[in-house]
Amino acid sequence: MKVGIVGAGMVGSSAAFAIALMGHASSITLVDANEALARAQAQDISHAVPFASSTRLASGSFDDLKDARIVILAAGASQRPGETRLELLSRNAGIIRSIVTEVLRVAPDAILIAASNPVDVVTQIAHRVSGLPANRVIGSGTILDSARFRSLLGQHLGVSPHSIHAYVLGEHGDSEVLAWSSARAGALPIAQVAAQVNVSLDEAVRAEIDSGVRNAAYTIINGKGSTYYGIGAGLARLVEVIGRNQNVVFSVSSVTEEIEGVRDVALSIPRVLGAGGVVTDLVPQLDETEHAALHRSATILKEQIESLSL
């Protein structure tokens, strides 16, 4: 399986590194406006491959993405001093439009995975300009937020995160919603697990975990400037699931026909992913507060996309 990655910065290169070491692709091609950067990243990662897999690494132009099965969109502009968020979104909309047009020119059957922030808006832009069905345009969404939620829950309960089933919904951003009411450890609601292992899960504990999930990116950015290893590993897992048609559930972003009364908006809910992209949506049961929070998150994202001229 051939994978293309547009954008050879920290997120794109971390994804390439993880995909290569896990052996999830036969070849990876990195494309970047900075050709020297893409070439250096491909060469550096290729030197790690003999220790783990046989994935081939290369850099090139959009033409070299021909026949790619999956293309990860990890490129975008950074915010300029004095620039508003809306101005940044408008600039990125133009960049994404250009990239998607070039990708589909040479790889019309590819599944697109958006990783650039704001990822939900980028996903919606890519869907709109590509004309592809929604199931083939996927944003990384809240896969990382959900992993953080499971990790912190697992630490608190003394249970492996692999046995925690919990999702973060809505925007990958400030309005995201931790779905506490549907969270499980094994087959049991987490409140029952907490009672059985004799640990508190009161409002103070939940608030601390919520803050840990919601503010993790800010903590990492304050410490080292940006986040990339976690999302790189998450993107590699999405590539594996699609490439091997595993039908695994992830909270990824995709344009959703209707959610909480808001129509045609890209946001994250649990979805089954297979060879064709999104197979089906699995909206969890929510309590009244969570319904309201998800409606708010969807509304915020809808307003953002409607503010752009596409």
Side-chain angles (χ1 to χ4, degrees), residues 25-282:
S26 57
S27 67
I28 301 169
T29 300
L30 286 162
V31 176
D32 197 282
N34 184 341
E35 295 179 8
L37 174 64
R39 185 165 55 251
Q41 296 283 33
Q43 187 174 18
D44 193 14
I45 296 168
S46 71
H47 296 162
V49 167
F51 298 107
S53 75
S54 57
T55 302
R56 299 186 303 277
L57 271 294
S59 64
S61 67
F62 284 106
D63 288 339
D64 296 303
L65 298 181
K66 180 177 172 58
D67 298 326
R69 172 89 177 278
I70 297 170
V71 176
I72 295 172
L73 310 177
S78 299
Q79 196 162 5
R80 296 167 176 166
E83 185 177 40
T84 67
R85 191 167 185 274
L86 181 57
E87 288 169 340
L88 174 62
L89 282 174
S90 296
R91 280 203 299 130
N92 271 328
I95 293 170
I96 295 301
R97 179 189 294 276
S98 175
I99 290 172
V100 168
T101 299
E102 285 295 291
V103 168
L104 294 182
R105 176 177 62 82
V106 296
D109 297 323
I111 290 172
L112 305 180
I113 300 180
S116 305
N117 279 320
V119 69
D120 301 292
V121 177
V122 169
T123 301
Q124 185 118 19
I125 293 168
H127 171 258
R128 189 171 297 183
V129 302
S130 69
L132 294 175
N135 67 292
R136 284 179 53 197
V137 183
I138 302 163
S140 55
T142 58
I143 57 170
L144 188 52
D145 309 274
S146 295
R148 291 165 175 160
F149 189 17
R150 293 171 183 175
S151 177
L152 291 175
L153 271 176
Q155 289 175 29
H156 183 70
L157 297 173
V159 176
S160 168
H162 289 287
S163 295
I164 301 291
H165 309 286
Y167 297 95
V168 176
L169 315 177
E171 178 192 16
H172 171 58
D174 293 340
S175 72
E176 63 189 26
V177 181
L178 277 65
W180 287 95
S181 63
S182 61
R184 298 285 188 276
L188 294 177
I190 56 167
Q192 292 185 27
V193 177
Q196 290 190 27
V197 300
N198 198 31
V199 299
S200 173
L201 200 61
D202 60 17
E203 287 304 313
V205 171
R206 293 188 182 217
E208 184 178 357
I209 291 174
D210 183 286
S211 177
V213 172
R214 202 175 296 276
N215 296 314
Y218 298 118
T219 302
I220 295 169
I221 289 168
N222 286 339
K224 67 172 193 173
S226 60
T227 68
Y228 37 87
Y229 291 134
I231 192 59
L235 291 166
R237 182 72 174 110
L238 295 183
V239 167
E240 179 187 24
V241 166
I242 293 169
R244 297 183 179 177
N245 193 27
Q246 291 182 337
N247 282 17
V248 176
V249 179
F250 282 101
S251 55
V252 294
S253 186
S254 183
V255 174
T256 308
E257 185 175 344
E258 189 275 333
I259 188 78
E260 299 295 341
V262 181
R263 299 191 60 82
D264 298 321
V265 62
L267 81 177
S268 289
I269 55 175
R271 307 178 198 269
V272 179
L273 296 183
V278 176
V279 177
T280 190
D281 299 342
L282 297 175

